Amino acid sequence: MIVLVINAGSSSLKYQLLDTATGQVHAKGNCERIGIDGSFVGHEENGSGKRRLEVALPDHKTAIKYVFDILSEAGFDTDKIEGIGHRVVQGGWYFPESKVVTEKTLGWVREVAPLAPLHNYAEADVIEICREMFPSIGNVIVADTSFHYNIPEKAWRYALPRDVVDRLHIRKYGAHGTSHRYIWKKTAEFLDGDVHKLVSCHLGSGASLSAIEDGRDKETTMGLTPLDGLIMGTRCGTIDPATVAYLMREGGYSIDEVDTMMNKQSGLLALSGLSSDSRDIEEAAEGGDANCQLALEMFYYRTSQLIAEMAQSMHGFDTMVFTAGIGENSSTMRLGVAKELEWLGVRIDEEANKVRSGEPRVISTEDSAVKVLVVPTNEELMIALDVEELLSK
């Protein structure tokens, strides 16, 4: 099936046209600065170099129309697109699995939007636009939270008053679920089923872990929002929740200022004082920058702590996978995290760890108590496969 996968943000829209039968990506790109001066589209076809196209994108409707226009101009018959898959950040209590778009399911995306206001409203608008512009093409919602929805209650429930929790739907929702689900699927295929208790490490600018036992999610690190858990590029990760009240009461910060501080001004950026990009931090650390060295040490420490927490939720683990921007590309980060876990018998083959490849690969030693892999994630393919499954019915 030929599927167009769309990932919409408040001022951006990423897209990928792919074939579910072969996994071939015919075209992909990103529309940036939608509704802002200086908007542009980065587009590439069949693995060719990316072109930057300066184009006015006053709204998402214009961006979607432009995507279809550029695909047509490139020779792709857009009439042959058989489905559109939409990545939705927050599925709330309505999406324990992916669903075909109807008036009801689209309404649900808007209803749960207060849990992810910067994303869900834009995503709902884009879904509506696609239905209006291309009424003959089926649309599917794939929520990032779905994979985590059925974790045990002891893992998702917060120790807050029940009436408050129930009224405001407060619980651990997690994120990156589509990526973690793909990692399980791909790892099981690669290891011919010889995996039972897997810790999936999605390490990028946004980062989370997932404990997956025989394909079922048992625990994850992100919580009500993607702020919880690991130290990330600009997010602080888990801290004492009373810090929010303290900053407001003693620091004089507004709730919006605290929210911005914790989501956009913290994490590796704050620790390093240099950058949110791990490549910049690694380079500066090698050059002797003490702040950057501390940032890396804290990242290794916190990540390894939570890997152990994920393992505890399954009462052990036999496999660990690194994925996403940092996990796939930084041998330094992988080695640093693995060394923190040596007490658990994790052993990395340092030469294998240095190899760069777009394919799944084992980087642990023969005597490692836990098999360690690098598996490139492919959320777009996972979304497209859901589209194929649901629309085929």
Side-chain angles (χ1 to χ4, degrees), residues 247-263:
L247 286 168
M248 294 175 67
R249 186 173 55 246
E250 300 298 327
Y253 296 96
S254 69
I255 188 64
D256 288 338
E257 287 172 332
V258 173
D259 188 53
T260 297
M261 180 192 302
M262 292 184 171
N263 277 287

Side-chain angles (χ1 to χ4, degrees), residues 90-369:
Q90 177 56 262
W93 50 98
Y94 286 121
F95 292 91
E97 67 279 316
S98 301
K99 295 183 183 295
V100 173
V101 174
T102 63
E103 288 298 323
K104 179 181 284 188
T105 57
L106 179 56
W108 289 343
V109 174
R110 294 192 189 280
E111 186 178 338
V112 303
L115 290 166
L118 293 179
H119 294 89
N120 269 46
Y121 288 118
E123 288 155 0
D125 288 345
V126 166
I127 293 168
E128 193 165 41
I129 291 164
C130 287
R131 296 183 78 204
E132 290 174 358
M133 293 178 65
F134 311 102
S136 64
I137 303 177
N139 290 258
V140 170
I141 294 164
V142 181
D144 254 5
T145 53
S146 294
F147 187 58
H148 308 300
Y149 191 76
N150 290 313
I151 61 177
E153 185 174 2
K154 65 182 180 182
W156 66 252
R157 181 172 284 279
Y158 291 132
L160 292 168
R162 280 184 175 269
D163 62 325
V164 175
V165 168
D166 294 343
R167 177 168 53 88
L168 296 175
H169 301 283
I170 298 171
R171 58 160 285 164
K172 176 178 282 192
Y173 287 104
H176 298 139
T178 307
S179 174
H180 291 304
R181 184 159 57 102
Y182 177 82
I183 291 305
W184 169 265
K185 178 178 183 294
K186 194 68 177 178
T187 302
E189 290 173 358
F190 182 72
L191 296 178
D192 293 324
D194 187 22
V195 51
H196 301 287
K197 296 180 178 182
L198 165 71
V199 177
S200 173
C201 307
H202 180 106
L203 305 181
S205 180
S208 70
L209 309 178
S210 179
I212 310 170
E213 184 172 356
D214 293 326
R216 293 183 63 84
D217 189 33
K218 305 286 283 189
E219 178 62 284
T220 191
T221 53
M222 286 181 168
L224 175 73
T225 75
L227 184 60
D228 200 9
L230 299 168
I231 293 170
M232 303 175 224
T234 61
R235 295 181 185 132
C236 60
T238 301
I239 58 171
D240 181 347
T243 306
V244 176
Y246 182 81
L247 286 168
M248 294 175 67
R249 186 173 55 246
E250 300 298 327
Y253 296 96
S254 69
I255 188 64
D256 288 338
E257 287 172 332
V258 173
D259 188 53
T260 297
M261 180 192 302
M262 292 184 171
N263 277 287
K264 298 182 179 180
Q265 299 168 352
S266 299
L268 293 176
L269 174 63
L271 291 171
S272 69
L274 173 71
S275 173
S276 62
D277 192 314
S278 64
R279 293 167 293 189
D280 297 335
I281 296 170
E282 288 175 23
E283 183 178 352
E286 287 178 12
D289 187 304
N291 288 336
C292 289
Q293 290 170 350
L294 177 62
L296 294 181
E297 289 171 9
M298 288 181 65
F299 186 87
Y300 306 153
Y301 175 66
R302 185 65 184 144
T303 302
S304 62
Q305 272 189 316
L306 289 180
I307 288 172
E309 188 176 305
M310 295 299 104
Q312 159 60 27
S313 73
M314 300 182 289
H315 296 166
F317 67 134
D318 50 65
T319 309
M320 183 169 74
V321 174
F322 289 102
T323 192
I326 295 173
E328 293 172 29
N329 297 301
S330 176
S331 59
T332 300
M333 286 287 198
R334 292 193 298 263
L335 183 61
V337 171
K339 281 189 173 297
E340 287 278 352
L341 294 167
E342 283 184 337
W343 69 278
L344 280 174
V346 175
R347 303 283 185 272
I348 289 288
D349 181 326
E350 296 196 26
E351 291 306 311
N353 183 45
K354 293 176 184 176
V355 174
R356 295 183 68 89
S357 171
E359 299 298 323
R361 59 198 185 277
V362 175
I363 60 169
S364 50
T365 60
E366 290 284 343
D367 64 344
S368 179

